[in-house]
Amino acid sequence: MTQALSVGITALGTYVPSKVVTNHDLAQLVETSDEWIVTRTGIRERHFSAEDEFASHMAIHATENMIAKHGSAVLDGVDLVILATSTPDALLPATAAIVQNHFKLKAGAFDVIAACPGWMYALSAAAAYVKSGMAKKVLTIGSDALSKILNWEDRGTLVLFGDGACAAIVEAVPEGYGFKSFVLGADGEGAKHLNMRCINTTLPDGSPLTEKVSMNGREVFKFAVRVMSSATREAVAQAGMRLEEIAYFVPHQANFRIIDAARSSLELPLDKVVSNVERYGNTSAASVGIAMREALDDGRIKDGDDLLLVSFGAGLSWASSVLRWHVKTF
Ligand code: UT7
């Protein structure tokens, strides 16, 4: 899918729960060590939501953070809420509708389930709604509380994930800014490598679905390294650009080894890579947004910078995009 859209992100906020869980804390629960986790993943700590804190609460906090950063006018005229999550508060209603109600928005609201790249899928949908004229201003959220669905006895998954949320406004931007390409991909053959049951107990091929997240880490690792670099190249080519023109590579924060392998195969210098996996672990649909916000806050990302966003996850699925950053004053 190629689109030269004058639609982009004009505001961004994030949230992580206050509870910090270190590798040492997890080593009290399962047979693991800080050394193993740091060496294999680059993760040192992550944030876990409180028992009574769910995706909707985190989404609302991320939206409040966006208001604090950009001003209260930021929500004026929002006519659609799209919320990406793999951990919705409920199957019905959509978590997006809970957010809509909290802020009393005169807007439609729906959820997107597309695992870790969910927020990027949501951004692509938001951009398409705005481009088509069906919506003017879309509150586009990624919120995941993976800690709620992890198997606390499985060291292979427990150490990887954290909770968090990001909230963005997607709307028209001046010509030349905004999303320059979107690449969306899925390969359902890989469903067996990363999944969790909901209503059914098996996949169509009879593979069992488990009560909590289960993953074949090695298979996902190989897929991730391959797709992070291929999807990056594709998004850059669709934007009619060269890799060297990308100011910052903002990848899904799953594992620093995956990020670094992709960086190396793309021959990108380390200082162009935004990574904070060390402090948050894999926050699923929120991870690209949280990384991007951090690079905005520390002054790395500036008006006019071309960013490459890329994510992957269960499905197996992936998404990438080139976004020219636009600073808007509300
Ligand atoms: O959004 C997408 C989410 N998923 C991912 O991004 C996951 C991608 N995969 C990975 O990041 C890596 O495959 C892992 C970090 C999950 C595992 O790293 P690895 O280098 O691929 O290790 P491995 O699975 O090959 O396991 C090596 C050993 C095994 O022991 P044996 O069989 O060699 O005796 C594991 O049982 O490490 C063991 N192991 C652990 N040891 C200590 C697995 N998890 C742990 C642990 N602590 N937490």
Side-chain angles (χ1 to χ4, degrees):
M1 172 176 143
T2 311
Q3 284 167 322
L5 302 169
S6 294
V7 174
I9 295 177
T10 55
L12 181 62
T14 59
Y15 171 79
V16 289
S18 56
K19 185 179 175 189
V20 176
V21 177
T22 65
N23 292 345
H24 296 290
D25 295 332
L26 294 181
Q28 310 293 314
L29 303 174
V30 288
E31 205 183 321
T32 189
S33 65
D34 178 58
E35 201 256 331
W36 191 96
I37 303 170
V38 172
T39 317
R40 302 288 179 126
T41 72
I43 300 165
R44 291 184 190 276
E45 57 187 39
R46 70 289 288 145
H47 295 243
F48 279 179
S49 48
E51 232 168 271
D52 57 354
E53 186 176 34
F54 296 93
S56 65
H57 301 107
M58 297 198 298
I60 289 165
H61 287 313
T63 306
E64 286 166 348
N65 177 255
M66 181 179 75
I67 294 167
K69 286 193 180 297
H70 297 270
S72 54
V74 78
L75 288 185
D76 291 355
V78 165
D79 51 359
L80 183 63
V81 181
I82 308 179
L83 188 149
T85 186
S86 301
T87 50
D89 290 27
L91 277 182
L92 323 169
T95 302
I98 299 175
V99 176
Q100 171 278 324
N101 184 49
H102 180 88
F103 293 103
K104 301 294 176 214
L105 301 169
K106 198 169 173 300
F110 68 91
D111 287 357
V112 164
I113 296 187
C116 298
W119 186 59
M120 294 202 49
Y121 270 77
L123 290 176
S124 74
Y129 270 97
V130 175
K131 182 74 177 169
S132 72
M134 279 185 70
K136 268 193 124 47
K137 198 171 178 185
V138 187
L139 175 58
T140 314
I141 296 170
S143 184
D144 262 322
L146 264 286
S147 68
K148 304 271 193 263
I149 58 167
L150 292 174
N151 174 353
W152 287 63
E153 291 170 4
D154 175 15
R155 64 182 181 174
T157 49
L158 182 62
V159 304
L160 301 176
F161 295 95
D163 300 342
C166 64
I169 294 295
V170 173
E171 61 180 332
V173 290
E175 189 87 37
Y177 285 96
F179 295 109
K180 298 187 166 297
S181 62
F182 271 113
V183 173
L184 305 177
D187 175 10
E189 272 298 312
K192 57 185 174 293
H193 298 313
L194 181 48
N195 55 53
M196 178 186 147
R197 63 164 293 194
C198 177
I199 291 171
N200 202 347
T201 53
T202 64
L203 288 167
D205 69 0
S207 331
L209 290 163
T210 48
E211 282 289 331
K212 300 286 177 180
V213 173
S214 68
M215 179 175 71
N216 179 340
R218 277 183 213 185
E219 282 303 321
V220 177
F221 191 100
K222 284 188 276 180
F223 150 76
V225 172
R226 192 175 65 245
V227 85
M228 291 265 269
S229 75
S230 61
T232 293
R233 288 186 196 285
E234 229 180 297
V236 171
Q238 283 192 15
M241 295 173 65
R242 287 173 295 114
L243 257 177
E244 307 82 83
E245 294 174 286
I246 296 297
Y248 290 102
F249 177 65
V250 191
H252 176 39
Q253 306 290 312
N255 180 330
F256 190 74
R257 279 164 61 216
I258 295 174
I259 294 172
D260 203 49
R263 179 202 66 78
S264 158
S265 100
L266 294 164
E267 298 179 25
L268 293 171
L270 198 55
D271 62 2
K272 282 193 169 186
V273 177
V274 178
S275 178
N276 58 12
V277 67
E278 187 180 10
R279 278 170 290 122
Y280 302 107
N282 179 346
T283 56
S284 189
S287 99
V288 170
I290 291 176
M292 204 186 337
R293 184 68 252 181
E294 206 161 286
L296 282 164
D297 287 344
D298 66 22
R300 269 178 290 175
I301 298 177
K302 297 187 184 62
D303 189 73
D305 277 350
D306 286 313
L307 313 177
L308 186 288
L309 318 180
V310 60
S311 185
F312 65 89
L316 299 169
S317 60
W318 60 93
S320 58
S321 176
V322 173
L323 169 65
R324 180 165 296 171
W325 191 255
H326 167 62
V327 175
K328 174 171 174 174
T329 310
F330 284 89

